[in-house]
């Protein structure tokens, strides 16, 4: 339960900042270019923290880092609302990006540990909760934006986040301390004075054995991040520019796509148990390729138009929904926090590359062709995912009810 709360929190908190970007831009007197540079500071801060976050998790434990980073993320949220200049905003976003990356690495690493112990594919459901948290944060933030200044709005959100972290954190910390005591007892029984150094050497050797496999999962994650953020950033523009939608209808189009991703993630655990992770990855990319082509070229299809484009975005969302959760789960199981951080780095490459590439192609060939690059990468990623079939979780013969009962039993047995 506590872990689910933290997944909702990491969707909810940043969403409240994102809806206040226009207001903070006006507050600091930034041009579009200035705002872009300030946002870039946030991305660079996020990237800079990824490797450090993995080391911190290995050194101090994922749960401890998770709770501390949760407090930091919520406290730092208020800083953009206090910014009085572009430089101050850039610095605030850099710190916010560092806290968010550290929180994400610790959160996903903790989720991998719990999912591995329970034997249940929990990650898709947890990422579905993250998606819902983001939708709720964006909706609530939009309502508050008309009535509160950025600093008051972000301050209240930060206060709520701090309270939630304070309430949900202790149970995770208790389970982490119990795990640490068990490990310490084992080390004491072995009587090995150099146990810590040996453990570090073991981790390094294990990482060298699997790093290329993790890199391959990273390629898959980069492709899905490219597809997700291409739709996040360009779907509304495509619907308005190429299909003549109003601003409100274009917004509904994006909301439909976002809801499809959230809904697909809540179905993900059941699909993995029934079909296996390879089928979910490769089949998901095949669906995504069809969906993005239908959505991108809806205006050119016989009988096409906005309803066809909406249907295409639903198929795209359902196809991409469970790819990133599976990739980060596999990488975490293979490489621990280090594996999780590498997947996050790879996803960042996909996120950062989609804007310039799609913009470049759209200027020369139009948005439909530019968005079709998502389909090309989806086909590539489907092939890579199939090649990784020996490293993914196979389908399980247990029924959904049996798996759920087993997971609940394991969870109750934890201290």
């Amino acid at each position: 339960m506590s872990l689910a709360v933290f997944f909702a929190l990491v969707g909810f908190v940043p969403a409240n900042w994102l809806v206040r970007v226009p207001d903070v831009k006006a507050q600091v007197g930034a041009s579009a270019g200035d705002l872009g540079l300030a946002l870039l500071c946030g991305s660079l801060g996020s990237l800079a923290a990824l490797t450090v976050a993995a080391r911190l998790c290995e050194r101090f434990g994922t749960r401890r880092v998770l709770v501390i980073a949760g407090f930091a993320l919520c406290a730092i949220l208020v800083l953009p609302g206090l910014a009085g200049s572009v430089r101050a905003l850039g610095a605030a976003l850099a710190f916010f990006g560092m806290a968010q990356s550290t929180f994400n690495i610790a959160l996903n690493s903790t989720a991998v540990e719990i999912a591995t112990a329970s034997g249940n594919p929990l990650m898709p459901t947890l990422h579905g909760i993250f998606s819902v948290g983001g939708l709720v944060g964006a909706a609530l933030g939009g309502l508050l934006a008309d009535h509160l200044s950025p600093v008051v709005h972000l301050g209240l959100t930060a206060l709520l986040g701090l309270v939630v972290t304070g309430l949900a954190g202790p149970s995770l910390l208790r389970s982490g301390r119990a795990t640490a005591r068990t490990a310490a007892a084992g080390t004491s029984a072995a009587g090995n004075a150099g146990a810590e150094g040996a453990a570090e050497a073991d981790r390094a050797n294990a990482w060298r054995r699997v790093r290329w496999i993790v890199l391959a999962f990273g390629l898959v994650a980069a492709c899905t991040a490219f597809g997700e953020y291409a739709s996040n950033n360009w779907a509304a523009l495509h619907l308005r520019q190429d299909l003549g939608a109003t601003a409100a209808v274009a917004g509904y189009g994006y909301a439909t796509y976002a809801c499809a991703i959230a809904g697909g993630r809540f179905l993900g655990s059941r699909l993995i148990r029934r079909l296996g992770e390879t089928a979910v990855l490769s089949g998901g990319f095949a669906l995504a390729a069809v969906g993005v082509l239908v959505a991108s070229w809806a205006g050119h299809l016989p009988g096409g138009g906005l309803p066809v484009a909406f249907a295409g975005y639903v198929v795209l969302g359902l196809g991409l929904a469970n790819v990133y959760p599976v990739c980060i789960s596999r990488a975490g199981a293979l490489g621990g926090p280090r594996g999780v951080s590498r997947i996050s780095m790879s996803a960042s490459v996909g996120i950062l590359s989609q804007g310039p590439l799609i913009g470049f192609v759209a200027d020369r060939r139009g948005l439909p062709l530019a968005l079709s690059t998502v389909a090309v990468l989806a086909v590539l990623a489907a092939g890579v995912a199939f090649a990784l079939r020996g490293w993914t979780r196979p389908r399980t013969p247990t029924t959904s009810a049996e798996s759920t009962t087993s997971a609940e039993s394991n969870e109750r047995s934890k201290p």
Side-chain angles (χ1 to χ4, degrees):
M1 179 61 182
S2 297
L3 193 64
V5 169
F6 279 121
F7 268 93
L9 188 69
V10 78
F12 180 84
V13 169
N16 277 271
W17 148 245
L18 291 175
V19 299
R20 300 315 300 254
V21 168
D23 301 308
V24 174
K25 174 180 179 292
Q27 174 179 301
V28 301
S31 66
D34 292 336
L35 178 62
L37 290 175
L39 294 173
L40 178 62
C41 289
S43 298
L44 294 176
S46 178
L47 285 171
L50 288 175
T51 302
V52 175
R55 300 286 185 179
L56 290 174
C57 288
E58 290 176 346
R59 176 67 180 84
F60 298 106
T62 58
R63 291 167 176 80
R64 187 181 301 175
V65 175
L66 168 60
V67 174
I68 293 173
F71 280 118
L73 177 68
C74 296
I76 292 171
L77 176 66
V78 74
L79 294 183
L82 293 170
S85 66
V86 175
R87 288 185 178 181
L89 178 60
L93 292 180
F95 285 117
F96 188 74
M98 291 177 189
Q100 188 174 4
S101 267
T102 304
F103 186 77
N104 280 330
I105 297 300
L107 179 63
N108 281 289
S109 298
T110 301
V112 169
E113 292 173 2
I114 293 175
T116 301
S118 70
N120 205 30
L122 302 175
M123 199 67 82
T125 301
L126 291 172
H127 279 257
I129 293 170
F130 156 77
S131 297
V132 171
L135 290 171
V136 172
L140 181 61
L143 291 174
L144 295 178
D146 290 335
H147 304 285
L148 300 176
S149 67
V151 67
V152 173
H153 173 195
L154 297 179
L156 289 174
T157 304
L159 181 60
L160 175 62
L162 290 170
V163 171
V164 169
T165 301
L167 293 174
S171 63
L172 282 178
L173 290 176
R174 282 194 296 270
S175 64
R177 283 194 292 267
T179 302
R181 283 196 299 269
T182 302
T187 299
S188 176
N192 185 1
E196 185 174 341
E200 178 63 30
D202 288 343
R203 282 196 296 266
N205 290 332
W207 173 249
R208 280 193 290 270
R209 287 194 297 269
V210 301
R211 59 183 175 181
W212 294 109
I213 303 301
V214 172
L215 181 62
F217 278 110
L219 176 60
V220 175
C223 290
T224 193
F226 185 100
E228 283 192 43
Y229 278 79
S231 301
N232 291 350
N233 295 336
W234 299 93
L237 178 62
H238 166 58
L239 293 173
R240 294 188 66 179
Q241 176 181 293
D242 298 314
L243 296 172
T246 64
V249 171
Y252 297 150
Y254 170 72
T256 300
Y257 159 76
C259 288
I261 285 187
R265 285 176 171 168
F266 284 113
L267 295 172
S269 296
R270 181 177 299 178
L271 288 174
I272 290 170
R273 284 192 294 266
R274 288 180 178 272
L275 304 175
E277 288 179 339
T278 297
V280 169
L281 290 174
S282 297
F285 275 121
L287 275 179
V290 172
V292 75
L293 289 175
V294 169
S296 301
W297 296 96
H300 301 269
L301 298 174
L306 284 172
V308 173
F310 275 45
Y313 278 119
V314 169
V315 173
L316 172 63
L318 291 174
L320 293 178
N322 295 300
V323 174
Y324 187 76
V326 169
C327 287
I328 205 163
S329 177
R330 288 295 88 204
L334 291 168
R338 213 176 294 192
V340 172
S341 75
R342 296 307 186 273
I343 294 296
S344 298
M345 287 180 184
S346 300
S348 297
V349 172
I351 293 168
L352 294 174
S353 63
Q354 56 80 30
L357 178 59
I358 289 181
F360 178 82
V361 176
D363 281 344
R364 287 154 181 78
R365 300 292 182 180
L367 262 178
L369 184 63
L371 292 173
S372 298
T373 57
V374 173
V376 175
L377 290 178
V379 171
L380 169 66
V384 175
F386 184 76
L388 289 168
R389 60 191 180 279
W391 295 90
T392 56
R393 184 197 300 266
R395 70 179 297 275
T396 56
T398 55
T399 64
S400 177
E402 288 169 344
S403 297
T404 301
T405 301
S406 174
E408 291 174 349
S409 176
N410 285 331
E411 200 65 37
R412 284 195 299 269
S413 69
K414 290 184 181 133

